[in-house]
Amino acid sequence: MSGFNKVVNSYEEAMAGLEDGMTVIAGGFGLCGIPENLIKQIRTMGTKDLTIVSNNCGIDDFGLGILLVDRQIKKMISSYVGENALFEKQLLAGELEVELTPQGTLAEKMRAGGAGIPAFYTATGYGTPVGDGKEVRAFNGRHYIMEESITGDFAIVKGWKADTYGNVVYRDTAQNFNPMAATAGKITVVEVEEIVEPGELNPSEIHTPGIYVNRVIKGTFEKRIEQRTVRQG
C-alpha cells in the first residue's frame, strides 16, 4: 500500500499480520455479504485461537463455518448460530466458547467500538441471562444494562464497489453488518467485486469512507444461497 492507494493484489497480502489469538470482526448476515475469500485465506493460513465476532458462523462447508473444521476459532461472539451442525457439536462438547448477543446489541457494539465509545446502555436483555452480571441503571423509570463495545485486531468486510482510496459502496441487503464491522477493526480489509478510480463513485452513495479502510482487494465470489426456495411449477 503506497500513499492513498489501498489496493493489494493478493489475499496473502490482504491478511498479512493476522496472528494466533487475535480478534476478527466479520461482516455479513447468513451467507449474504460475507467476505468469503478473506475467510478462505484465514483457513489457508491456519491461524488459530481466534475470537470471531459476527452475526453467525456460516454453514458447515462455507463462510466462517470452514474455520471450525480445524478448530481455528476459540471463541465466537454472535447472535444466531442455528445453521451450523459442527458449531453445535463443538459447543456442546465444550470445545468452543460462545457469547450469544442480541442482534441489535451486536450491531451497536461494533458501531460504538468504531466510534470510540467504550460502552452504552440498552434495555435489551435486562432480566434475562444476557444481563447477568452486568451493570444496571434506570432511566426514566426503565431498567437498562451496560454493554461494552467491541473492536478487533482485524475487520474483514465484503463490499460491492470501492475506489483505490478505500471508499466502499455496498449492494442492497449485502450491506447488513458490513458498515459497522468496517469501522471497528485496527486493520480493516475489504474485498469487492469492482475497483474504480477516485472520483468515479458518487460521494452521496459511499457507505464506508476510506478513512476506515486499510486494504482493498478485488475478488471473485460464489455468493452461495443459504436456503433456496423456488415456486412450484
Side-chain angles (χ1 to χ4, degrees):
M1 188 173 70
S2 177
F4 286 109
N5 188 342
K6 300 179 180 180
V7 177
V8 296
N9 297 311
S10 71
Y11 279 92
E12 292 82 2
E13 188 177 359
M15 294 306 298
L18 181 67
E19 299 177 353
D20 292 352
M22 284 188 167
T23 296
V24 179
I25 300 177
F29 184 98
L31 300 183
C32 178
I34 64 170
E36 57 186 79
N37 298 301
L38 294 172
I39 295 169
K40 291 176 183 176
Q41 177 60 25
I42 294 174
R43 185 181 189 186
T44 298
M45 294 169 66
T47 318
K48 293 184 178 295
D49 295 325
L50 297 172
T51 295
I52 303 291
V53 183
S54 187
N55 177 68
N56 58 289
C57 197
I59 57 177
D60 291 339
D61 62 343
F62 194 69
L64 289 169
I66 65 175
L67 301 182
L68 294 173
V69 176
D70 295 321
R71 292 174 170 77
Q72 291 174 259
I73 302 176
K74 177 182 179 181
K75 180 179 181 179
M76 189 77 203
I77 301 175
S78 57
S79 61
Y80 177 72
V81 294
E83 298 297 333
N84 194 314
L86 184 56
F87 185 104
E88 179 185 15
K89 180 180 178 181
Q90 291 185 9
L91 170 62
L92 294 177
E95 300 171 347
L96 178 66
E97 184 179 351
V98 178
E99 183 178 319
L100 290 175
T101 304
Q103 199 165 76
T105 301
L106 182 61
E108 181 61 12
K109 278 175 169 279
M110 294 182 191
R111 192 206 66 82
I117 300 170
F120 58 92
Y121 287 95
T122 176
T124 303
Y126 172 74
T128 75
V130 170
D132 287 351
K134 296 177 180 176
E135 179 183 325
V136 178
R137 289 189 62 182
F139 298 94
N140 299 318
R142 189 178 185 187
H143 288 94
Y144 295 78
I145 59 174
M146 189 181 78
E147 294 278 6
E148 295 185 9
S149 62
I150 290 176
T151 56
D153 299 291
F154 271 75
I156 54 174
V157 172
K158 163 65 170 60
W160 178 39
K161 291 183 181 180
D163 63 22
T164 58
Y165 287 177
N167 297 301
V168 183
V169 177
Y170 307 102
R171 183 171 175 80
D172 300 329
T173 55
Q175 183 171 343
N176 53 64
F177 279 82
N178 281 299
M180 289 80 75
T183 67
K186 294 177 183 176
I187 298 175
T188 293
V189 187
V190 182
E191 59 174 338
V192 296
E193 299 172 38
E194 182 180 356
I195 297 176
V196 301
E197 292 301 316
E200 292 188 40
L201 297 178
N202 185 334
S204 66
E205 296 177 354
I206 291 171
H207 297 111
T208 295
I211 190 67
Y212 291 109
V213 177
N214 301 94
R215 303 167 188 168
V216 177
I217 186 168
K218 181 180 177 181
T220 302
F221 302 91
E222 181 179 343
K223 297 185 181 180
R224 192 181 300 187
I225 297 174
E226 188 169 357
Q227 299 286 350
R228 184 183 297 273
T229 302
V230 295
R231 186 169 58 186
Q232 296 295 323

